[in-house]
């Protein structure tokens, strides 16, 4: 894994540590590593939705595992971010069933509306467009994930509305 130059303030607050300890308590002491995925979610949510190498090192230290064991998980799953991201990340499923229903055109449309390419953040820091693998909602294609929620049966009109709602702060990103 490549170490980036992005700086991140690490803030392992007591509520966050309590949640981490609670997650680890679900497993035997010598199997704490099994809590890695949910712990990474909690830590990422508490750090503006991304994980620096230093933060991953911290997670490894807490779980008493090697940093590489954290890096390989973070770099495998698209739901973990290794750099700062736009506040509203439009994660379009671009696996075949969604593509057959027009995902690529919708991604182009969204990028055009926002004035960015895939993987770029808008200059106001609000939006980013990303392509991800099947999200298990193929029957509702084309679809995307926005925060913790799915947006399904997408059309250009729905994209327009989503962008407007994000700008008006009407979008809830997390379910807790
Ligand atoms: S192919 Fe898009 S959700 Fe499965």
């Amino acid at each position: 894994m490549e170490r980036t130059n992005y700086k991140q303030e690490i803030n392992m607050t007591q509520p966050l540590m309590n949640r981490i300890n609670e997650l680890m308590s679900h497993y035997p002491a010598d199997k704490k590593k099994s809590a890695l995925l949910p712990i990474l979610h909690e830590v990422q949510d508490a750090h503006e939705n991304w994980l620096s190498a230093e933060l991953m090192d911290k997670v490894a230290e807490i779980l008493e595992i090697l940093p590489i064991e954290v890096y390989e998980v973070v770099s495998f799953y698209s739901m973990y971010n290794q750099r700062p991201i736009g506040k509203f990340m439009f994660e379009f499923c671009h696996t075949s069933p969604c593509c057959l229903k027009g995902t690529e055109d919708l991604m182009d449309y969204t990028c055009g509306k926002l004035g960015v390419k895939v993987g770029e953040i808008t200059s106001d820091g609000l939006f980013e467009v990303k392509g991800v693998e099947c999200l298990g909602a193929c029957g509702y294609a084309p679809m995307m994930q926005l925060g913790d929620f799915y947006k399904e049966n997408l059309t250009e009109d729905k994209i327009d509305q989503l962008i407007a709602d994000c700008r008006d702060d009407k979008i809830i990103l997390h379910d807790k």
Side-chain angles (χ1 to χ4, degrees):
M1 189 199 70
E2 203 179 312
R3 287 199 170 231
T4 65
N5 291 325
Y6 299 109
K7 289 284 165 242
Q8 183 173 47
E9 190 178 329
I10 295 177
N11 191 11
M12 304 300 284
T13 62
Q14 196 54 52
L16 177 57
M17 286 307 302
N18 291 347
R19 179 72 182 129
I20 289 171
N21 288 329
E22 197 248 319
L23 288 165
M24 287 196 297
S25 75
H26 298 175
Y27 303 93
D30 62 341
K31 299 274 190 297
K32 288 189 289 192
K33 181 184 167 184
S34 302
L36 177 56
L37 269 71
I39 286 174
L40 285 171
H41 275 298
E42 296 287 339
V43 172
Q44 180 170 265
D45 284 353
H47 289 84
E48 296 182 320
N49 215 15
W50 71 286
L51 299 157
S52 62
E54 291 74 18
L55 192 48
M56 288 186 263
D57 291 347
K58 188 76 193 162
V59 171
E61 185 187 315
I62 291 167
L63 282 168
E64 298 180 77
I65 58 178
L66 295 172
I68 186 67
E69 295 178 86
V70 181
Y71 304 162
E72 62 191 11
V73 167
V74 169
S75 58
F76 181 78
Y77 292 107
S78 64
M79 66 260 202
Y80 302 121
N81 304 302
Q82 297 174 63
R83 60 169 175 79
I85 62 165
K87 178 178 179 186
F88 300 104
M89 171 82 94
F90 288 7
E91 296 182 82
F92 285 91
C93 166
H94 64 174
T95 302
S96 302
C98 278
C99 283
L100 287 171
K101 298 279 277 185
T103 290
E104 285 168 336
D105 288 344
L106 272 182
M107 288 177 78
D108 286 346
Y109 176 79
T110 308
C111 286
K113 283 244 7 163
L114 296 172
V116 291
K117 294 181 185 145
V118 171
E120 288 178 353
I121 303 172
T122 53
S123 55
D124 57 9
L126 282 183
F127 297 98
E128 182 168 346
V129 177
K130 179 178 180 182
V132 298
E133 299 306 321
C134 179
L135 291 166
C138 323
Y140 306 96
M143 58 81 63
M144 70 155 98
Q145 183 164 359
L146 179 56
D148 293 339
F149 301 98
Y150 283 3
K151 308 294 179 187
E152 300 165 338
N153 299 309
L154 292 172
T155 61
E156 290 182 0
D157 286 346
K158 285 188 180 179
I159 296 288
D160 290 347
Q161 190 61 53
L162 273 174
I163 291 172
D165 287 348
C166 289
R167 289 203 166 112
D168 291 342
D169 221 6
K170 289 184 185 165
I171 291 286
I172 295 170
L173 289 175
H174 299 294
D175 62 359
K176 60 184 175 193

